[in-house]
């Protein structure tokens, strides 16, 4: 059974940093597509960043490029999201998700192709 667990959220002032962790089990971690997504109140869920753990290719939403960095420690079965220069508009529940085995390459837009989701961790950025 696939299991994803996020941690690392919290309350931070604008300009601050947080590092989120997503630890996975029940699947071939080092040959997977794992993404970070966020959902703010009254807004649609959106992709933040995605990593392919086999070749470590990464993808970012325009809104976080240059501020967020996704990485994977395959030995620890953990994907990280380092978030720097946080802004109030980054406030949301952050979730990690596992892409389906046959998903296409529209990693940031094809949210329906992510089959397993964690419970999420709250990130709040105060102004």
């Amino acid at each position: 059974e696939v299991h994803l667990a996020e941690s690392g959220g919290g309350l931070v002032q604008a300009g601050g940093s947080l590092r989120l962790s997503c630890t996975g089990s029940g699947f071939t971690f080092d040959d997977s597509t794992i993404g970070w997504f966020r959902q703010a109140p009254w807004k649609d869920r959106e992709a933040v960043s995605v990593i392919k753990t086999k070749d470590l290719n990464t993808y970012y939403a325009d809104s976080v490029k240059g501020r967020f960095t996704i990485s994977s420690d395959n030995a620890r079965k953990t994907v990280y999201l380092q978030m720097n220069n946080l802004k109030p508009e980054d406030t949301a529940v952050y979730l990690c998700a596992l892409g389906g085995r046959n998903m296409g390459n529209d990693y940031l837009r094809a949210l329906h192709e992510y089959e397993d989701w964690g419970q999420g961790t709250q990130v709040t950025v105060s102004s």
Side-chain angles (χ1 to χ4, degrees):
E1 180 183 359
V2 173
H3 184 66
L4 297 166
E6 303 95 337
S7 62
L11 173 64
V12 64
Q13 289 188 328
S17 299
L18 285 172
R19 188 178 78 159
L20 306 183
S21 300
C22 170
T23 300
S25 61
F27 60 97
T28 306
F29 190 94
D30 57 4
D31 189 12
S32 298
T33 300
I34 297 175
W36 281 101
F37 302 81
R38 65 187 181 187
Q39 186 154 22
W42 307 293
K43 291 187 177 180
D44 291 336
R45 186 172 295 183
E46 63 177 358
V48 174
S49 184
V50 173
I51 188 167
K52 294 177 65 65
T53 59
K54 185 173 184 179
D55 55 24
L56 302 183
N57 283 344
T58 58
Y59 308 86
Y60 294 93
D62 287 343
S63 59
V64 306
K65 280 181 182 176
R67 300 189 298 125
F68 291 10
T69 303
I70 193 169
S71 61
S72 182
D73 184 335
N74 289 350
R76 287 185 165 83
K77 296 187 177 182
T78 300
V79 168
Y80 301 99
L81 185 69
Q82 177 67 43
M83 305 186 296
N84 297 329
N85 190 22
L86 282 160
K87 304 175 180 180
E89 52 262 44
D90 295 317
T91 295
V93 174
Y94 283 70
L95 309 99
C96 63
L98 174 65
R101 293 299 297 171
N102 297 313
M103 74 176 297
N105 58 5
D106 198 2
Y107 304 117
L108 296 176
R109 295 193 298 180
L111 272 64
H112 61 281
E113 295 198 57
Y114 290 85
E115 298 181 346
D116 297 280
W117 295 78
Q119 294 296 309
T121 185
Q122 177 70 44
V123 171
T124 303
V125 184
S126 63
S127 56

